[in-house]
Amino acid sequence: MLLLLCLSVLSQAAKAQETWEVFMEKIPEHLQVSLLIQDEEGQTLFSQSADKRIPSASIIKIPILIALMEKVENREITLDARYSLQATDKVGGAGELQHLPDGSGITFRYLAEEMIRISDNTATNILIRAIEMGYIQDWLKKNGYRDTQLNRLMMDFKAIEEGRQNYTSPREINDILLNLWEGKWLKEDSRAEIMHCLKGCADNSTIPSLLPAGTVVAHKTGTLDYVRGDAGIILGDKPLILSVFVENFESMEEAESAIGKIALKAFRDFGR
């Protein structure tokens, strides 16, 4: 009886894999899609090029946020402490802090929220300096992450020209999210702060875009001219950890559409 049950489970898994392979064939052939879908226990539900190391864009802000909360737990940073915004902090790209007057007082909690909510690059760079880039790099290494690297500040084009890029892979960013979900590193209050930030991500053009209204997603998107990605937790009846990166797209909308369709299928197949 047990053997029959095991065979049935394996048969269902094989059928799901075949269905996904057929589905992925409908994604435009020129797109390079790297993805990993797991359940909350870490079981792989579908993967494609999950170990590919990819420029992370703003998805690197997830481990930055976790490192921040570790510093908070160690009482090295206080979320309610105020930082005085300096002219030298301001960088372009996403975010509103670059438009605030010099000397504006901003809490570290607000910096963390804005780093995720609208991917504020000025907020991110302030946090990287406060946490220390070496601390974040060491945190990634000590937890076994080799593909995921923070090698530069946001909007540091000189560093990019010199070959210093930020990276991750679907497997590693999924593992970071899974360990966050399981409470591996942080106390519950810290985990709640991070989940609050991730649920507040205002960019809903990727994973959340086609999901049923009211579906909660804790996630962080990333955008470069050559990479569009999203990584997060779909909080359906059965939580799913999902990372999708798209390269070689002809338009940003094409990449976002592919991510949205993948997330919807994952939700329908595995999340309810």
Side-chain angles (χ1 to χ4, degrees):
M1 186 68 179
L2 180 60
L3 177 60
L4 290 174
L5 179 61
C6 290
L7 289 173
S8 175
V9 170
L10 289 171
S11 176
Q12 290 174 9
K15 185 177 180 181
Q17 179 79 5
E18 180 182 5
T19 301
W20 269 86
E21 288 169 352
V22 171
F23 169 78
M24 291 303 296
E25 289 176 358
K26 297 176 183 177
I27 300 293
E29 187 176 359
H30 62 274
L31 295 181
Q32 297 175 12
V33 182
S34 307
L35 71 99
L36 178 60
I37 306 165
Q38 293 173 286
D39 63 19
E40 62 180 330
E41 296 178 352
Q43 178 184 350
T44 296
L45 303 172
F46 183 78
S47 68
Q48 177 173 294
S49 303
D51 293 307
K52 183 179 181 181
R53 192 178 78 157
I54 302 166
S56 62
S58 288
I59 291 173
I60 196 67
K61 294 170 185 177
I62 295 175
I64 293 172
L65 183 59
I66 295 172
L68 169 67
M69 293 311 301
E70 186 173 274
K71 284 266 188 174
V72 170
E73 287 194 356
N74 293 337
R75 298 184 178 181
E76 297 175 53
I77 295 176
T78 303
L79 288 179
D80 292 325
R82 287 190 170 271
Y83 177 85
S84 180
L85 183 66
Q86 306 298 309
T88 53
D89 293 325
K90 298 176 183 179
V91 294
E96 298 173 356
L97 266 68
Q98 61 184 303
H99 305 301
L100 294 182
D102 298 350
S104 296
I106 307 160
T107 66
F108 282 90
R109 176 178 279 105
Y110 184 74
L111 290 169
E113 290 172 344
E114 291 298 279
M115 176 175 70
I116 303 299
R117 185 180 74 85
I118 55 173
S119 210
D120 195 298
N121 290 318
T122 297
T124 305
N125 285 353
I126 293 169
L127 289 174
I128 290 172
R129 292 187 178 105
I131 301 164
E132 298 179 353
M133 186 177 291
Y135 182 93
I136 299 167
Q137 292 168 329
D138 289 344
W139 183 90
L140 289 165
K141 288 177 182 177
K142 79 177 182 182
N143 284 291
Y145 301 117
R146 296 293 179 265
D147 293 330
T148 306
Q149 299 175 5
L150 176 68
N151 294 316
R152 64 169 177 85
L153 293 167
M154 303 301 109
M155 306 302 290
D156 187 345
F157 299 111
K158 184 174 185 295
I160 296 173
E161 291 174 1
E162 293 172 353
R164 288 184 285 120
Q165 182 59 282
N166 300 326
Y167 293 101
T168 192
S169 65
R171 190 173 306 283
E172 287 200 353
I173 200 65
N174 254 42
D175 192 69
I176 288 170
L177 287 166
L178 185 62
N179 284 319
L180 169 67
W181 179 252
E182 293 177 342
K184 176 179 179 180
W185 300 303
L186 300 167
K187 297 175 183 175
E188 181 56 32
D189 286 351
S190 299
R191 177 182 173 276
E193 288 278 1
I194 293 173
M195 292 298 290
H196 164 74
C197 289
L198 294 176
K199 288 176 186 178
C201 179
D203 184 357
N204 292 319
S205 58
T206 46
I207 287 176
S209 62
L210 300 176
L211 297 179
T215 305
V216 177
V217 183
H219 69 122
K220 181 69 192 82
T221 54
T223 309
L224 294 169
D225 290 341
Y226 42 89
V227 179
R228 182 64 163 134
D230 199 355
I233 305 170
I234 302 175
L235 297 164
D237 294 336
K238 300 175 182 177
L240 299 176
I241 292 82
L242 168 65
S243 302
V244 188
F245 294 84
V246 180
E247 301 170 276
N248 200 40
F249 46 83
E250 295 176 354
S251 70
M252 203 62 68
E253 291 76 16
E254 181 183 46
E256 291 167 353
S257 175
I259 296 172
K261 289 175 181 177
I262 289 167
L264 177 59
K265 179 168 174 58
F267 178 79
R268 286 175 171 171
D269 286 0
F270 310 122
R272 59 182 185 177

